[in-house]
Amino acid sequence: MPTEEKHILTAREATVKMLLAVCRDKQFSHAVKGKYLEKIEEKRERALATRMFEGCLERMIELDYIIDSFSKTPVRKMKPAIAAILRMTVYQLRFMDRIPAGAACNEAVNLARKYGFAGLSGFVNGVARAIARAQEIGYPDAEKEHTKYLSVKYSMPVMLVEQIIGQYGEKTAEEVLAAFLRNDDSIPVRCMKHNRSVDEIKRILSESGIAVEDGFYSPDALRISGIDTPERLPLFSEGAFYIQDESSMQAVLAAGLSGNERVLDLCAAPGGKSVMAADILLCLGNGTVEARDLTDAKLKLLRENIERCRLTNVTVRKADATVFRKEDEEQYDVVLADVPCSGLGIIGKKPDIKLFMTEETERELCGLQREILKNAVRYVKPGGVLVFSTCTLNKEENLGGYRFLKEKCDLIPESLEEYLTSGLWSETTKDGCLQMLPGIHRTDGFFVARFRKKI
């Protein structure tokens, strides 16, 4: 009997366990990967498990549609383990050309038996082999069932397809949906300029044989390609750069830091905005950042990132952003309020978000955001700046929050065009807000707005 589970987990076994953890147990995919991938000994098997797991989450609606087309029992009524096995098998059959169909089907049968469902192994085999033999899959009619067609084609819940079309129009919506499925192996990073210059970091990475190019929207951003473990890159351990999407960088750029400011990052973990603001202030000569979040796990992550990036002007505090702290009233020159949101802008990186999002959850998040924003406003000094941001596409959260700050909190929106590259200017940036969209911009989906508090 092996003493360590990692020696007995194959890629397919790990994939089924991860799918069960997400789909049945409602765990977050990033936590699940951290738990199970380390139990696979071989690097090649880990890579295969990662590809299958992420692919199944990304394509799950399409996979379920295919399975339902060949099975008398719909996926929603299957045993969770059987559903997971079939999803993984169909992903291999439809999206992984190098895996022989026979091998994928045989492994599905073996896994069904291993999970104690020997009586269903014939069912699994029949469905899997029928799909393997099929020359074509009958997808919904693009004209007669357009919404369902888009839902299956882009593996997005009908509710979200309808929402994105309703808010952005059909043409833009389809560009966004397609972008979520587009594979881009480049990793955006922001250089810590108090540590090393952008040119020096770029040179050292290039000389190490790493593909690196300039970012699209920030002079301090680089994009690194062809790597699978950023933490092993030269300069990572000494904090020369921080992995951060360029959309998130815009929230700090929008603050227009000039030096000597006292900055509060209300919902800071994992720390990208705090780290960036602190780096800018160090380069300008002075200024401090206070990074707050709610849980010990998030505070630990904050401290790890701050320490790695060798920042001496950041303090970390445990605090609930929905609870007002009287002692902090009007104490900060800049408040960054990157509030909890539905996360629809980062579905391309965290596809499990779309599997569980509901209209009720979105409404609840809007209420939570207003609570936090009311407190954020009160922490800003008269004449100070509030930056409101989210990583979602939902206009009810984004423009709803913008209107709340403008109309209910008596803040003054200020143009973003002094602070952001012209490549991001839009019809709304003069009014103080910007919505970045995957497929339209080369970023995640992200919203940022800048406000000034009256004196």
Side-chain angles (χ1 to χ4, degrees):
M1 186 75 178
T3 57
E4 292 183 65
E5 189 178 357
K6 80 173 187 177
H7 293 306
I8 63 171
L9 275 187
T10 67
R12 291 180 176 87
E13 289 168 343
T15 301
V16 171
K17 287 179 178 290
M18 291 189 287
L19 288 174
L20 284 171
V22 171
C23 300
R24 181 189 63 193
D25 304 332
K26 313 301 183 190
Q27 296 180 29
F28 292 117
S29 61
H30 65 275
V32 168
K33 285 194 290 185
K35 179 180 179 180
Y36 286 105
L37 291 179
E38 67 179 16
K39 297 178 181 178
I40 304 173
E41 192 170 38
E42 295 184 15
K43 181 179 179 181
R44 183 176 177 182
E45 285 283 288
R46 285 198 300 274
L48 176 59
T50 300
R51 166 84 187 275
M52 290 190 296
F53 174 59
E54 293 179 348
C56 285
L57 293 183
E58 186 179 70
R59 297 276 186 176
M60 190 166 293
I61 290 173
E62 183 178 4
L63 296 176
D64 287 1
Y65 177 86
I66 294 171
I67 295 168
D68 286 350
S69 298
F70 290 85
S71 170
K72 292 181 180 179
T73 303
V75 173
R76 70 179 186 278
K77 292 187 177 181
M78 292 179 186
K79 301 287 186 183
I82 296 300
I85 291 168
L86 281 173
R87 284 163 171 162
M88 178 188 67
T89 303
V90 176
Y91 183 78
Q92 294 171 76
L93 295 172
R94 305 302 299 186
F95 299 105
M96 299 183 73
D97 294 338
R98 294 185 179 181
I99 295 181
C105 294
N106 288 338
E107 285 299 319
V109 171
N110 292 335
L111 283 170
R113 290 171 177 157
K114 186 165 187 174
Y115 273 87
F117 297 107
L120 292 174
S121 61
F123 166 76
V124 169
N125 185 57
V127 173
R129 292 192 182 278
I131 294 171
R133 289 192 300 267
Q135 297 298 312
E136 293 183 3
I137 302 295
Y139 283 86
D141 188 282
E143 297 295 328
K144 297 178 180 178
E145 300 179 281
H146 191 59
T147 301
K148 186 176 181 180
Y149 165 78
L150 293 176
S151 173
V152 173
K153 180 179 180 180
Y154 298 112
S155 217
M156 186 71 68
V158 169
M159 183 273 286
L160 292 179
V161 172
E162 292 175 341
Q163 182 181 103
I164 297 170
I165 290 175
Q167 294 183 358
Y168 293 99
E170 195 160 304
K171 181 178 182 299
T172 297
E174 189 154 6
E175 291 181 22
V176 170
L177 294 172
F180 283 141
L181 294 180
R182 197 172 296 134
N183 292 320
D184 180 1
D185 71 347
S186 67
I187 297 173
V189 302
R190 186 189 177 274
C191 300
M192 296 288 108
K193 289 171 53 177
H194 80 281
N195 188 320
R196 292 178 184 264
S197 71
V198 176
D199 287 342
E200 185 180 10
I201 293 170
K202 187 176 181 180
R203 176 182 59 78
I204 292 172
L205 291 174
S206 297
E207 289 175 354
S208 300
I210 295 162
V212 56
E213 59 183 350
D214 294 334
F216 302 118
Y217 305 113
S218 170
D220 303 330
L222 296 174
R223 300 188 75 87
I224 301 170
S225 302
I227 59 169
D228 59 358
T229 310
E231 292 79 8
R232 295 180 183 174
L233 285 172
L235 306 180
F236 180 86
S237 61
E238 70 175 64
F241 57 84
Y242 185 94
I243 299 170
Q244 182 179 26
D245 193 76
E246 285 194 71
S247 59
S248 176
M249 297 179 200
Q250 308 313 308
V252 182
L253 294 175
L257 298 174
S258 58
N260 296 312
E261 287 98 340
R262 189 180 183 200
V263 178
L264 172 62
D265 189 353
L266 261 186
C267 307
K273 298 173 192 65
S274 293
V275 164
M276 180 174 173
D279 176 63
I280 291 171
L281 291 172
L282 281 179
C283 292
L284 290 169
N286 205 351
T288 62
V289 177
E290 182 169 310
R292 295 183 185 174
D293 225 303
L294 185 57
T295 68
D296 290 336
K298 289 184 176 181
L299 296 184
K300 181 176 182 290
L301 189 57
L302 277 170
R303 291 191 179 98
E304 288 173 353
N305 285 321
I306 290 163
E307 290 170 9
R308 181 180 64 80
C309 292
R310 303 181 183 184
L311 295 161
T312 58
N313 58 340
V314 188
T315 57
V316 176
R317 175 183 286 181
K318 186 176 183 178
D320 184 343
T322 65
V323 177
F324 178 66
R325 294 174 57 89
K326 177 66 177 175
E327 63 269 32
D328 294 327
E329 188 164 19
E330 297 189 343
Q331 294 298 305
Y332 295 90
D333 302 290
V334 174
V335 173
L336 304 176
D338 188 63
V339 297
C341 69
S342 56
L344 302 183
I346 56 174
I347 283 175
K349 293 176 178 174
K350 297 183 178 181
D352 46 318
I353 289 172
K354 65 185 175 184
L355 303 179
F356 307 118
M357 188 52 57
T358 65
E359 291 178 329
E360 181 181 1
T361 299
E362 288 180 320
R363 286 192 295 271
E364 291 172 353
L365 284 166
C366 286
L368 175 63
Q369 291 163 8
R370 305 299 185 271
E371 286 185 59
I372 294 173
L373 290 174
K374 282 190 292 186
N375 292 335
V377 171
R378 296 178 70 182
Y379 297 143
V380 182
K381 290 180 179 179
V385 171
L386 171 70
V387 176
F388 160 55
S389 61
T390 76
C391 58
T392 190
L393 313 177
N394 182 14
K395 288 187 177 182
E396 292 300 318
E397 296 174 73
N398 295 339
L399 291 178
Y402 173 87
R403 289 191 294 266
F404 173 78
L405 291 168
K406 179 181 177 181
E407 298 167 7
K408 303 296 184 183
C409 300
D410 207 25
L411 295 183
I412 303 169
E414 291 191 331
S415 173
L416 292 170
E417 294 183 3
E418 180 181 344
Y419 311 103
L420 307 187
T421 176
S422 59
L424 289 172
W425 292 2
S426 71
E427 66 273 13
T428 66
T429 44
K430 282 189 180 297
D431 297 324
C433 66
L434 168 66
Q435 177 70 64
M436 285 163 274
L437 296 170
I440 307 301
H441 304 95
R442 301 186 74 170
T443 66
D444 292 335
F446 200 86
F447 179 85
V448 60
R450 174 187 165 96
F451 294 89
R452 179 80 63 179
K453 191 171 186 178
K454 294 179 180 178
I455 298 175

